[in-house]
Each structure stands twice: as structure tokens, then as C-alpha cells.
Amino acid sequence: MRGWREEVVALSLRGYGYGNEEDDRPEKPRRYGVTEMRSPFYSFRPANQALQEILDSLGPFVDGLKFSGGCHSLMGKELVREITDLAHKHDIYVSTGDWAEHLLRQGPSSFKQYVEECKALGFDTIELNAGSLKLPEEALLRLVRLIKSSGLRAKPLFSVKFDSSDIPASRDRAFGAYIAPVKEQSPERVEDVDLLIRRAERCLEAGADMIMIDADDICQRADSLRTDIVAKIIGRLGLEKTMFEASNASTSEWFVKRYGPRVNLFVDHSDVMNLERLRGFNMRRSNPTSCFSSPFFLM
């Protein structure tokens, strides 16, 4: 049963028109308008206690919880399981964050063991940082399929910049295929949004549930936000299949104003309330007859 706080929030959200399939952003579990939250596990307080306090207030607005920076690798299994159980009680999925690349150094079998352990600990999603993994594309696709075959969700993370030695020759780009070029490794970073999109498309074809877009060089700061790249990614991959990392409140505001409440965003736990306010404000502008004010004033 939901507590009084959740009931009040649910009623106020229905006042916006939330909860119907025809609406811009339905109730959880949502396929779009997803808010994924960075874990608050870097505080000095016990991880489960800090999270409990946050979810008691913000649970209805949060769709996913991400263990950033591999922090789950520093916790005991009992604590990790306690945290994933707590998230599930609030209808929140749990993601590993980009930690898998460290496991691959131990050999191919270690990744399969990692997936099985993540499932046992209650994780729902495994994130794959394509840039850090440094794998040929076919190997990345095999990891996506392995995650999906285990019953978990796969979410590759892409950056718009690649090592210049990883850029395939034009003859290798037919039909979206990616063939690792034969070159000496180069530290030079080259922007290639078309390669990002093609690799992301192949991951989606392999079964990936969503593509995470790294904020670096795209949307880290609102004043230097690459609107052309964002538009091209959304135009090719679709709003429902992409999630952007919003590093600050100004970036979140730009995304919601530009793409509406349906945009999927990854934010710090301290920005969740502001993001939900922005989503609600955007919907009220499209539905001016609504007489409800922000749900945060009811809490």
C-alpha cells in the first residue's frame, strides 16, 4: 500500500493529466519521460539510510537508480541487496553504472559471472561504456546479447568523440557495419556523431533497451550545449530509446523546454525535484485548464 505522501503526489500528478496512456508522460513504469537518478552513496551517512530519506519524498518521480562510478563494488553484498530491494519497493529499476569495463580485464568468463552476480543482487540494468570498453563492435554486440539472454536490460553508453585510430575507413561503413581499422593507436580524439548513431543503432538491433549519451562534449553545460548533435541523435534513434546525462539544472531545463516531458534524463539526486517541476510546468503550458499547482507544494 502507498503511504499518504505517495497518495498525495499521485493525486496531484493526475491533476496534470498524468496516468493515462494518451498523456505525454504516464505513471510508472514509464517507457519515456524517464528520470534516472545518480545514487547518493558518496555521502558520509549510511547508503541505505540516505536513500530511504530521498525515496520517501521523491520516489514517485524517480524511475531508475544508478550506482555511479562502480560504488557497488565497494559495498558488501547484503547492503547492495538491501538497496536494490528498497528501490524496487518504490517501483524503481536499478542500474550498475559504467563498471563492466573493469571486469573484462580479468577475461571473457568474468563478464558472464558479473552479469549473473548483478542479477542475483537485484540489478535490473547493466550499463556498458562503449568508450571505456575499447572493444570491436561485434564484441560489444555480444555483450548486449549476453545481458539480454540473462533477463536483464542492456544500456550502452556512447560519447560523441572517438580515438582517431578507431574511426573506420569510409569503405567499412556500408550498411552500418563497423570494422576495426588497422592503424597504430592514436590519442587524438575526433568527433563523429554519425559513427555514434550507427553503433547505437546496431546495439538497439541486438536488443539494447536504451542508449545513454555521455554529457561530455554534448550537454555538459547549457551555454555550450550541442543542439545540432542532440537533434540528430534523437531524430535517428528516437526520443524513447535515448537518455541524456544532464549535468546541471540549466541543462535539464533546456531538454524539457526543447523536447517536452517525454525526454529521458539522467540527473543527480539533488536535481530530481527541479526536473519534475520542469516536466510539470511544461505540461501545464500545453494544458492551461489544469488548476493544480506543483505537487511539491503539497509535500
Side-chain angles (χ1 to χ4, degrees), residues 264-298:
N264 304 315
L265 294 175
F266 168 63
V267 298
D268 188 77
H269 71 276
S270 61
D271 290 333
V272 170
M273 182 176 289
N274 180 66
L275 174 56
E276 192 65 22
R277 178 187 63 80
L278 291 169
R279 292 193 198 273
F281 178 73
N282 186 282
M283 291 188 70
R284 288 199 305 278
R285 287 197 303 174
S286 63
N287 181 21
T289 60
S290 174
C291 60
F292 285 80
S293 59
S294 170
F296 300 110
F297 294 113
L298 301 174

Side-chain angles (χ1 to χ4, degrees), residues 13-274:
L13 290 179
R14 283 198 289 272
Y16 288 128
Y18 281 60
N20 301 318
E21 289 298 325
E22 312 82 44
D23 294 329
D24 285 345
R25 190 160 171 262
E27 288 186 349
K28 297 194 297 184
R30 288 183 272 261
R31 293 180 294 108
Y32 47 79
V34 173
T35 296
E36 185 171 300
M37 181 183 82
R38 180 182 288 108
S39 63
F41 303 149
Y42 46 76
S43 67
F44 290 105
R45 297 154 61 201
N48 54 344
Q49 185 182 98
L51 183 63
Q52 176 77 67
E53 293 178 6
I54 291 172
L55 295 187
D56 281 346
S57 297
L58 302 179
F61 312 133
V62 179
D63 299 272
L65 173 70
K66 178 176 174 177
F67 279 68
S68 295
C71 58
H72 58 288
S73 65
L74 304 176
M75 300 179 181
K77 292 183 179 180
E78 291 185 4
L79 177 56
V80 173
R81 184 74 219 199
E82 185 178 338
I83 291 170
T84 58
D85 286 345
L86 175 61
H88 292 157
K89 288 179 182 178
H90 288 83
D91 297 320
I92 294 171
Y93 70 81
V94 187
S95 173
T96 60
D98 52 339
W99 182 247
E101 60 269 24
H102 299 284
L103 278 299
L104 290 177
R105 298 171 184 170
Q106 303 172 19
S109 62
S110 63
F111 185 80
K112 185 175 182 180
Q113 182 180 350
Y114 170 69
V115 172
E116 293 171 351
E117 184 172 339
C118 286
K119 186 174 183 179
L121 291 174
F123 285 95
D124 305 285
T125 300
I126 292 182
E127 189 171 291
L128 298 170
N129 189 328
S132 299
L133 285 169
K134 299 292 184 184
L135 291 174
E137 186 166 305
E138 291 301 328
L140 177 63
L141 298 179
R142 283 196 293 272
L143 296 186
V144 170
R145 296 186 188 105
L146 174 61
I147 294 169
K148 293 298 294 181
S149 67
S150 71
L152 299 180
R153 301 171 192 162
K155 184 165 65 174
L157 181 150
F158 287 98
S159 171
V160 73
K161 286 192 175 179
F162 300 83
D163 290 340
S164 60
S165 55
D166 291 336
I167 304 296
S170 58
R171 64 180 179 274
D172 296 330
R173 293 179 176 230
F175 309 108
Y178 173 76
I179 301 173
V182 181
K183 292 182 183 178
E184 294 183 3
Q185 288 297 310
S186 168
E188 183 185 1
R189 302 286 284 173
V190 179
E191 184 178 290
D192 195 329
V193 65
D194 290 319
L195 181 57
L196 181 159
I197 291 172
R198 277 192 292 275
R199 298 190 74 183
E201 286 174 334
R202 295 201 73 198
C203 285
L204 291 172
E205 292 170 1
D209 297 88
M210 189 175 288
I211 302 298
M212 173 75 87
I213 304 299
D214 193 349
D216 290 346
D217 306 310
I218 298 181
C219 50
Q220 192 168 37
R221 292 172 295 276
D223 57 354
S224 59
L225 199 143
R226 294 295 303 277
T227 59
D228 56 331
I229 291 178
V230 172
K232 195 167 188 177
I233 291 172
I234 291 178
R236 288 277 296 276
L237 303 181
L239 201 61
E240 183 179 318
K241 290 296 184 179
T242 51
M243 175 176 286
F244 292 88
E245 182 179 359
S247 301
N248 52 60
S250 297
T251 304
S252 297
E253 182 174 2
W254 181 88
F255 271 104
V256 176
K257 284 184 175 180
R258 184 70 172 264
Y259 292 102
R262 297 168 65 100
V263 65
N264 304 315
L265 294 175
F266 168 63
V267 298
D268 188 77
H269 71 276
S270 61
D271 290 333
V272 170
M273 182 176 289
N274 180 66

